[in-house]
Amino acid sequence: KASDKKLKKTQSAVLIKGDGPKIKPGQAVTAHYIGQKFPDGKTFDESWTTAPRQFAVGAGQLIACWDAELVGQTIGSRVIVACTSKDAYGKDAKSKGAPEGDLIFVIDLLDAI
């Protein structure tokens, strides 16, 4: 059953390989994304209905799985990042108003400065 499925480790896969420069730690990245609970796929956040978001990658400002998996990806790529609970919002997620458990994101990397 779905509730028995747990991610064993944080990992990512490139769905579309962009031909832009590689993302370096600390760069401000502009991206569109959707965040879903794993394994049920319930969406908890997305940017496509509003506007792309910008955030510093690899600077300790994001959840650990984004910092770890997005550095080194190329601009123009669509990347899927599967985050264990530990590398997402952790055991205190609910008290912080964040989604609990394992999460999965599809991220379109649009630009980096």
Side-chain angles (χ1 to χ4, degrees):
K1 77 184 185 192
S3 61
D4 293 340
K5 293 187 178 175
K6 298 288 284 171
L7 288 174
K8 291 180 179 35
K9 68 176 189 159
T10 291
Q11 54 196 315
S12 63
V14 176
L15 303 176
I16 300 168
K17 175 85 167 140
D19 57 7
K22 286 188 175 185
I23 296 170
K24 296 178 186 76
Q27 279 193 295
V29 174
T30 302
H32 264 308
Y33 68 90
I34 185 166
Q36 298 174 304
K37 301 274 288 175
F38 179 86
D40 68 12
K42 182 174 178 351
T43 299
F44 62 84
D45 192 18
E46 58 82 32
S47 66
W48 272 282
T49 58
T50 56
R53 311 271 167 84
Q54 188 175 67
F55 40 81
V57 172
Q61 298 175 15
L62 302 171
I63 56 177
C65 57
W66 279 45
D67 274 348
E69 300 295 325
L70 295 182
V71 169
Q73 299 289 355
T74 55
I75 295 302
S77 293
R78 174 171 284 176
V79 181
I80 187 166
V81 178
C83 306
T84 63
S85 177
K86 177 178 163 280
D87 289 339
Y89 293 99
K91 63 179 186 241
D92 298 326
K94 194 170 191 174
S95 66
K96 294 184 235 172
E100 293 180 287
D102 297 341
L103 306 176
I104 194 160
F105 297 89
V106 176
I107 307 162
D108 282 2
L109 301 167
L110 306 175
D111 195 15
I113 53 172

